[in-house]
Amino acid sequence: MTDYSPLIDGVYVLAVIFFILGLRAMASPETARRGILAAGVAMLLAVLVTFLVGGLTNNFGLIAIGIIVGGGLGWYWARVVKMTAMPQMVAVFNGMGGGAAAAIAAVELLTAVSDPTNASLSIAGAVIGSISIAGSVVAFLKLQGWMVQRAVVFPAQQVLNIIVLVAGLAFGVLTVVQATTVWLIPFFVLTLLYGILLTLRIGGADMPVVISLFNALTGIAVALDGFVLVNGVLGDAGYAMVVAGILVGAAGSLLTIKMARAMNRSIGSVLFGGFGAKEEVGGAIEGSLKPIDSDDAASLMAYANQVIIAPGYGMAVAQAQRKVKELADALEAKGVSVRFAIHPVAGRMPGHMNVLLAEAGVSYDKLYDLDEVNGQFATTDVVLVIGANDVVNPAARRQGSPLFGMPILDVDKAKSVFVIKRGQGRGFAGVENDLFYKDNCRMLYGDASAVVGRLITALEHS
Amino acid sequence: MSADIWTALLIAVLAAFVGYEVISRVPVLLHTPLMSGSNFIHGIVLVGAIVVLGFATSPIEQAIGLIAVIMGAMNVTGGYVVTERILAMFDRSKRKGGSP
């Protein structure tokens, strides 16, 4: 039998270099596409070369079927899904990675539970992988709207969660200590259950942070599996998994912290806070919702010096980004300066709005971050809020509000604020919005795409 | 515990620093593509799944190994396509100077 191991190891080293360069290229808009392509080529080579691993003789048919079925499903699903559903797709595919890591650990436990090093590494990989898949699936269901989107909180929940986690870990420890596989079923059931319970408590704007956390966890689970393979007879693939897994674990952890910081939240409060689960008590809001028709809104905008557009999830849902770009062009043709104010977590993910506006052809230099734009609202004539709610809610400045402490776009400081909104419902966080009741705020009810279309028509006729 | 494990641990420590360095100065704009891209990279789990299924002998090992391969393959292709689709949107926008 030919020994291909120098070739295999060489390709794995190459793959790891490409992963690192790819990830680095993805940290800059100009090179991002080259980055994912490099990582993609590296992955393809690494998978192909794995078929040459010496002694890997069993189940070639099953492996091929698995790759075709799984790969085909993933490819098809990711192709057909709408751009607005991207956040939950990241959650799903991350969950699949976590599930694969847990399954690999399960096989390792079945075959080599007698080796304490192998068993403890596999148990650790299985715990993290199980939490990642169960949590990611719940995150997907919540974002997809297939289950209640808010944080689910019930009495003694924290106690229950801790009991489930500790019991799961105890079965894991028993497995290692007694070197037996009999406890594996309760072990997996309890760790999966913990992943579900943990994510049930999380809702609202915290969802992207938790998806990023599960992403980092999957990376760590993959690395732990890598250690198990390194320890066994089939080491080569293990090193690639250790490097790639830890790379994602570290990058993902940092990304998670950055995202949480962008919302002025800590990881602890995200995981255990139960955001937006409770209704705010008392504090009735004074004033009323005042509608305005699109002709009046359009003419006020046409005579303004500056207009700032603050988009949110409503724009994504209505796929209104191209219409919004047309509106900005029409206003600029009338000599109005138009800028976009992008909240870090507008939409369902950081950068969600940037992606959609970039798709519509809005240039980057018109997009302003929270810090850049917040000082400018006071001198702005009109702010047009398109389907954003929580990220413009002044309640975030008031102690006692569930939103308290979250940085917001200070749109209420502008001379006039127009809010495009589907109905009178609340935002994702389930908190009443003080902004809509302010004297300088007018409501434009309807689907974002339709309303913006009417504004464009009205502008053309004015 | 084999010496290989300690080698792997050393490599892991270095990889952690690389992962940290590589994205420490990334703009908010790229948080989503980066999360999606790193999601793709942990698809390397597929390689481990192939090895595990390739050495599996009993039916239960084969069944779990097959699940691992299917899930790993979904992670790889889905992760790649989602990232590619997100980044394709950036490409189409016209960039008019200035840093984002």
Side-chain angles (χ1 to χ4, degrees), chain A residues 118-193:
Chain A
N118 253 356
S120 33
L121 286 168
S122 300
I123 286 288
V127 169
I128 299 175
S130 301
I131 292 174
S132 178
I133 184 180
S136 297
V137 168
V138 173
F140 165 77
L141 294 174
K142 282 192 171 200
L143 288 173
Q144 189 76 8
W146 289 355
M147 63 174 279
V148 53
Q149 300 197 344
R150 289 204 268 163
V152 178
V153 174
F154 48 82
Q157 189 176 19
Q158 298 284 36
V159 179
L160 175 73
N161 288 8
I162 289 168
I163 290 172
V164 169
L165 178 64
V166 169
L169 292 177
F171 282 116
V173 172
L174 271 180
T175 302
V176 176
V177 173
Q178 301 186 345
T180 168
T181 55
V182 293
W183 305 114
L184 284 182
I185 288 176
F187 164 74
F188 275 105
V189 168
L190 286 168
T191 48
L192 288 167
L193 183 63

Side-chain angles (χ1 to χ4, degrees), chain A residues 12 19-20 23-24 26-30 32-33 36-37 39-40 43 46-47 50 54-59 62-63 66-67 70-71 74-75 77-79 81 83 86 89-90 93-94 96-97 99-101 103-104 106-108 110-111 117 121 133 208 211-212 215 218-219 222 227 229-231 234 237 239 241-244 246-248 250-251 254-255 258-259 322 349-351 354-355 358-359 361-366, chain B:
Chain A
Y12 285 153
F19 285 154
I20 294 171
L23 207 54
R24 200 175 74 154
M26 255 181 269
S28 152
E30 291 89 355
R33 263 190 119 172
I36 184 67
L37 191 66
M43 186 71 75
V47 169
T50 303
L56 185 114
T57 43
N58 302 333
N59 312 319
L62 275 182
I63 295 173
I67 290 178
W75 188 276
W77 201 6
R79 273 264 157 252
V81 75
M83 281 312 290
M86 283 298 154
M89 294 322 282
V90 174
F93 295 126
N94 172 57
M96 291 300 121
I104 291 172
V107 175
E108 289 296 329
L110 288 175
T111 50
T117 310
L121 286 168
I133 184 180
I211 294 175
S212 175
N215 186 40
T218 302
V222 170
F227 277 110
L229 295 196
V230 166
N231 194 41
L234 356 145
Y239 285 107
M241 287 167 74
V242 168
V243 177
I246 290 291
L247 192 65
V248 174
L254 182 60
L255 200 57
K258 282 181 172 226
M259 282 184 185
R322 290 204 172 78
M349 264 199 176
N354 306 70
V355 169
E359 182 204 15
V362 176
S363 72
Y364 291 138
D365 52 6
K366 293 216 172 75
Chain B
M1 207 179 287
S2 68
D4 291 347
I5 281 245
W6 295 107
T7 315
L9 192 63
L10 184 66
I11 294 171
V13 170
L14 296 175
F17 280 101
V18 172
Y20 185 89
E21 273 310 310
V22 151
I23 70 144
S24 57
R25 285 203 282 153
V26 61
V28 173
L29 156 85
L30 285 169
H31 280 180
T32 299
L34 204 61
M35 194 206 303
S36 180
S38 56
N39 178 29
F40 166 68
I41 287 174
H42 65 53
I44 191 73
V45 72
L46 175 59
V47 165
I50 292 172
V51 171
V52 162
L53 180 54
F55 285 92
T57 43
S58 74
I60 175 92
E61 287 168 33
Q62 287 175 328
I64 301 174
L66 179 62
I67 291 170
V69 171
I70 292 176
M71 285 183 159
M74 278 185 82
N75 185 177
V76 169
T77 58
Y80 184 83
V81 172
V82 168
T83 312
E84 164 63 28
R85 280 184 65 188
I86 293 174
L87 290 176
M89 294 185 158
F90 285 101
D91 245 23
R92 254 177 280 153
S93 74
K94 285 148 271 159
R95 213 179 128 71
K96 294 183 197 162
S99 61

